[in-house]
Amino acid sequence: MNTTKDVIVLTGAGQLGMAIVRRMAYGNKIFVADWKIENAEAIAETLLEAGFDAVPFKVDISDRESVLELIKEAQREGEISMFVNAAGLSPSQSTKEHILQVDLYGTALLLEEFGKVMKKGGSGVTISSQSGYRMPALTAEEDRLLATTPAEALLNLEMLQPDKIKDTLHAYQISKRCNGKRVMAEAVKWGERGARINCISPGIIVTPLALDEFNGPRGDFYKNMFAKSPAGRPGIADEVANVAELLMSEKGAFITGSDFLIDGGATASYFYGPLQPENNEEDSQ
């Protein structure tokens, strides 16, 4: 008897991605993919212990062959009906070149390739960041290039050359700006398959990495950031999952190509409140 299930693929094995798949993946096969297999194994084990059907998989989202191998393995289990991308590097984790390779090119590659295989009626979300909202506006042509340039040519754009990217924060911000623009353009292509794709841009969310930051040398900076936001606190992964659940379920059937900012109002405070840059150190998240 054929017992194939629909498949949900998670790239980026962390608390955010796990919170989302726990909402959406019951009854489905879950591929938990990460460039560190031990991370994928840890999240898959937690899901298995909670009764889900999950397997770990090693993937490098900045390598097309690696992404295609992930898709190939997932399709052996069934049709891919949901996709969650929560992979990425922060400004403090690597070089500006590596951040562009993973956060910008890698996300574009995932959206491009998964858009070719999604099941009719399927849906996806990619996790971006509030940081994409904090960079000065780009021109309409620059936005168009970020949105529509084929993934393999993206890093050749003049605006993304190393001499144009001043530091890792700039690389991170333009990557996140690009994520939102790619989702808009890819939503048109995904729609041809009857599938939807959206973007979520979280602010400071409590995760093991964030807790390390709160207790580290920049802890006061982060605490000040959320203290001066309207919500007055950081978010939690399940609050991001609340938004993802709407977007990925039939309740969000009319939503595609959109970016949802979920940051407790920190971006509002950054532009129009006590977090305005002239009064504070430049934000890095």
Side-chain angles (χ1 to χ4, degrees):
M1 183 174 66
N2 188 343
T3 58
T4 59
K5 302 178 179 181
D6 277 358
V7 178
I8 179 169
V9 177
L10 166 64
T11 49
Q15 294 296 317
L16 273 181
M18 182 170 68
I20 294 170
V21 298
R22 284 180 73 108
R23 298 289 181 89
M24 305 306 303
Y26 37 84
N28 294 340
K29 183 84 173 186
I30 310 166
F31 271 71
V32 181
D34 198 279
W35 77 281
K36 286 187 175 179
I37 189 62
E38 57 268 29
N39 291 349
E41 289 169 344
I43 295 297
E45 182 178 1
T46 299
L47 290 168
L48 285 166
E49 290 173 348
F52 292 93
D53 183 4
V55 294
F57 198 87
K58 181 177 174 62
V59 69
D60 176 358
I61 68 166
S62 66
D63 181 284
R64 187 178 292 272
E65 289 306 313
S66 182
V67 169
L68 291 174
E69 183 63 24
L70 169 61
I71 290 172
K72 178 181 174 183
E73 289 298 317
Q75 287 181 311
R76 286 179 176 168
E77 299 291 336
E79 287 189 276
I80 300 173
S81 63
M82 285 181 275
F83 169 62
V84 178
N85 175 40
L89 296 166
S90 75
S92 61
Q93 286 182 308
S94 195
T95 64
K96 59 186 184 181
E97 291 83 4
H98 194 203
I99 289 168
L100 290 174
Q101 187 75 26
V102 173
D103 291 18
L104 190 145
Y105 167 74
T107 297
L109 175 59
L110 289 170
L111 295 174
E112 196 173 273
E113 291 298 342
F114 275 89
K116 298 174 183 176
V117 299
M118 292 297 296
K119 180 180 179 179
K120 181 178 175 61
S123 58
V125 294
T126 189
I127 302 298
S128 185
S129 168
Q130 64 176 357
S131 199
Y133 286 78
R134 306 194 177 196
M135 192 177 69
L138 300 175
T139 67
E141 176 62 10
E142 287 171 328
D143 279 342
R144 188 190 68 79
L145 288 171
L146 288 179
T148 62
T149 300
E152 288 306 317
L154 257 177
L155 294 179
N156 294 330
L157 291 176
E158 179 64 25
M159 63 189 292
L160 297 179
Q161 296 314 297
D163 63 319
K164 299 290 195 301
I165 304 295
K166 60 183 180 181
D167 53 24
T168 59
L169 174 59
H170 186 201
Y172 184 74
Q173 289 180 329
I174 201 166
S175 294
K176 298 310 177 181
R177 182 71 60 84
C178 181
N179 294 167
K181 298 301 178 183
R182 298 299 292 193
V183 161
M184 290 182 74
E186 285 293 337
V188 178
K189 299 175 184 177
W190 283 50
E192 294 171 0
R193 296 185 61 86
R196 298 181 296 107
I197 179 67
N198 288 290
C199 185
I200 299 176
S201 293
I204 297 176
I205 305 297
V206 177
T207 62
L209 178 62
L211 289 172
D212 286 343
E213 295 282 2
F214 296 163
N215 296 315
R218 287 170 58 79
D220 289 343
F221 166 73
Y222 286 102
K223 291 171 185 175
N224 176 67
M225 191 193 309
F226 60 72
K228 290 182 178 178
S229 69
R233 63 171 178 85
I236 64 172
D238 282 274
E239 291 178 304
V240 177
N242 288 339
V243 177
E245 185 176 16
L246 166 65
L247 297 177
M248 299 184 74
S249 72
E250 61 183 18
K251 291 180 180 179
F254 198 55
I255 307 172
T256 191
S258 296
D259 182 19
F260 289 79
L261 182 64
I262 172 170
D263 68 347
T267 299
S269 184
Y270 178 84
F271 284 107
Y272 308 117
L275 284 176
Q276 290 178 79
E278 58 264 30
N279 302 319
N280 294 276
E281 178 188 351
E282 188 175 15
D283 180 19
S284 71
Q285 289 294 318

